[in-house]
Amino acid sequence: MKKQSFAIALSLLAGGAMAQQGPIQFTAKSIVALSDADMAASAMVDGNLLKDKGTKDALTTIGFPLDRSGANIFTSVVSNSMTLFDKVLAVSNNGKLAFVVEGRGQTGDSLTTLKDGLNGLPGSTKMFTVDLSAGKPAVKYGFAVGVNPTAVTINPTGNSLIVASADPGKELRIVEVDGTGKPTRILTAASPVPNAVITDLAWHPGGQFVAYTIAATGEVGLMKYAMDATKKPNLTPHGKTVKVGTMPGAGKFNTDGSTFVIVDSKKAAGASGTGAGELFAIQFSTDDTPGEHKILSQAATGEGPQSVAISPDGSVVVVVNAGQSYQPFGNAAVGKSSLTTYSLGKDGKLTQSADYPFEGIAPQSVDFDRSGDAIAVAVPEYLDYGMRNGGIEFWKVTKGDKPTLAKQAGRISLTRGCHAIKVIP
């Protein structure tokens, strides 16, 4: 009987009856992930990079369905920085090209401690075009986009990008690209708020507007993107800015662009933490003559909210909270992060549902799959000694008036510092 049972089991495996089942259920073509491998998250507090010699930043693509052998996971060296929000990565809608803002340069093996906090990291002016079309990612182009670039966003047609930087009077770059991602024209523009550094960008799904965030003054606003008579693109402020807390972070539009949702962490991460944050839902006026941009609703988050995801049908919002998980090992709060779920009404009303603690250090990015029934969360590190990795974790989503999450058993282990992800549906 035992031999017969084993034979039946083998025949089922050979026939693929179990091939579609696994610990990770996620409906997507792929995920693109960035890892900042040369800085521990706790360096934000004590300055100790805790890196291994020879470790390099990376861009990874993960193809679905997953293969336990990792045959459809490909990684290449691409310099990037987790000191910024998750808008350091933009991917074309067809999933063939990625654009990576370096933010800060790769550190050498001789640099082990930051003497002046994050200001001690090497500066940068670069953005990279990465070809994702042929398995292993390949950097095709690298080009200057201003001093210490902070964020990038791509238009729905994939032929134009907006990049923000700290370049005085030239805080914005309009980058037009061809089908290979090669820049064909780069134009400069000033910040809509004079001399203010833009820290986050999000292109409106309609293609005519770009939302921008200024963390230092707690403002969000809208710019109009248009071509003049000579077919030259330009950006102009569209209406007045809206005050959203004291240190707004990453924001996203829902699918139809009617609502913009953004987190406010209140203050920068540090030894004393940040306290509870907030989530704002905003309605931008996109009329030809702009009306007043309005805050539709707001709700509490956990400590240190980092980024937000909105389900494809617009009904569920998930916020990832870093808490004080980035503290040096030995602190009672280290490694303790959380997710918070909300329902989002058609009127823009946010209703908090529940909090979900999980183990992970300084998570910064979250995204839904194509179905809206699962999310992926980027985790830079775990409370591990010796071999230190980052990863992507997965949660099942149950929609409704009070959306819930259930953690999936499997995760994808990646180069440590995994801090920005984009799902290619």
Side-chain angles (χ1 to χ4, degrees):
M1 292 296 291
K2 289 183 179 179
K3 289 183 178 180
Q4 184 181 18
S5 298
F6 187 60
I8 292 172
L10 286 176
S11 67
L12 287 172
L13 287 170
M18 297 180 67
Q20 299 304 312
Q21 301 301 313
I24 298 174
Q25 301 296 310
F26 198 76
T27 307
K29 292 179 182 177
S30 62
I31 295 177
V32 182
L34 288 181
S35 294
D36 179 1
D38 57 353
M39 188 188 90
S42 54
M44 293 186 288
V45 177
D46 62 13
N48 295 321
L49 296 176
L50 299 176
K51 61 181 182 175
D52 296 330
K53 289 185 178 180
T55 302
K56 299 295 184 182
D57 297 349
L59 182 147
T60 302
T61 59
I62 302 105
F64 289 85
L66 294 170
D67 184 309
R68 188 173 177 184
S69 70
N72 51 357
I73 299 177
F74 302 95
T75 298
S76 293
V77 174
V78 180
S79 181
N80 62 88
S81 177
M82 68 181 290
T83 62
L84 306 172
F85 300 124
D86 68 347
K87 296 294 179 54
V88 292
L89 171 65
V91 180
S92 59
N93 283 346
N94 61 14
K96 294 182 178 180
L97 295 170
F99 300 90
V100 179
V101 165
E102 186 176 35
R104 293 287 184 165
Q106 186 90 29
T107 61
D109 287 339
S110 61
L111 182 64
T112 60
T113 304
L114 300 176
K115 302 298 185 183
D116 187 26
L118 298 182
N119 293 326
L121 292 169
S124 172
T125 62
K126 292 181 181 178
M127 185 167 79
F128 305 104
T129 300
V130 185
D131 185 355
L132 309 177
S133 63
K136 190 176 178 67
V139 176
K140 291 295 186 182
Y141 310 106
F143 47 96
V145 288
V147 176
N148 293 337
T150 55
V152 60
T153 187
I154 189 168
N155 68 345
T157 55
N159 62 355
S160 188
L161 302 107
I162 310 296
V163 185
S165 77
D167 215 350
K170 298 180 289 184
E171 291 89 357
L172 294 168
R173 296 292 193 285
I174 303 171
V175 182
E176 295 182 317
V177 295
D178 64 16
T180 70
K182 181 180 180 179
T184 57
R185 179 163 58 172
I186 300 178
L187 304 170
T188 62
S191 172
V193 178
N195 302 314
V197 176
I198 291 169
T199 48
D200 191 67
L201 292 165
W203 212 302
H204 187 278
Q208 290 185 300
F209 299 94
V210 179
Y212 64 91
T213 302
I214 301 171
T217 55
E219 296 173 88
V220 297
L222 200 66
M223 298 179 287
K224 189 170 185 178
Y225 173 86
M227 297 286 184
D228 64 18
T230 66
K231 302 297 183 182
K232 179 182 176 181
N234 59 77
L235 290 166
T236 56
H238 197 75
K240 298 178 180 180
T241 60
V242 178
K243 183 76 173 176
V244 285
T246 56
M247 191 175 176
K252 291 180 181 175
F253 283 102
N254 63 351
T255 304
D256 65 10
S258 61
T259 306
F260 181 74
V261 180
I262 187 167
V263 295
D264 171 31
S265 61
K266 301 303 179 186
K267 62 180 182 178
S272 61
T274 65
E278 277 190 289
L279 178 66
F280 291 81
I282 297 164
Q283 180 185 64
F284 284 119
S285 171
T286 56
D287 297 335
D288 290 340
T289 300
E292 183 183 358
H293 305 318
K294 300 176 182 178
I295 295 176
L296 300 175
S297 64
Q298 57 197 89
T301 69
E303 182 171 6
Q306 297 297 302
S307 67
V308 61
I310 307 174
S311 62
D313 67 1
S315 68
V316 181
V317 172
V318 177
V319 171
V320 60
N321 308 293
Q324 294 186 46
S325 61
Y326 53 81
Q327 296 284 357
F329 282 17
N331 188 297
V334 67
K336 299 184 185 303
S337 300
S338 69
L339 296 161
T340 309
T341 57
Y342 308 81
S343 63
L344 178 62
K346 293 182 179 180
D347 58 357
K349 183 180 179 182
L350 290 161
T351 304
Q352 185 175 346
S353 177
D355 292 311
Y356 296 87
F358 70 97
E359 295 297 321
I361 294 174
Q364 288 182 268
S365 191
V366 57
D367 208 356
F368 274 88
D369 74 350
R370 182 173 66 245
S371 70
D373 294 329
I375 57 168
V377 180
V379 181
E381 291 182 70
Y382 296 93
L383 198 57
D384 294 338
Y385 291 79
M387 182 66 71
R388 293 161 46 226
N389 293 313
I392 300 177
E393 302 197 354
F394 298 86
W395 300 67
K396 179 182 177 182
V397 179
T398 300
K399 300 172 186 174
D401 293 339
K402 292 186 176 181
T404 61
L405 301 177
K407 195 172 188 302
Q408 299 189 40
R411 75 185 186 203
I412 298 171
S413 182
L414 295 177
T415 303
R416 72 168 171 267
C418 180
H419 67 99
I421 56 174
K422 294 288 183 184
V423 171
I424 311 304

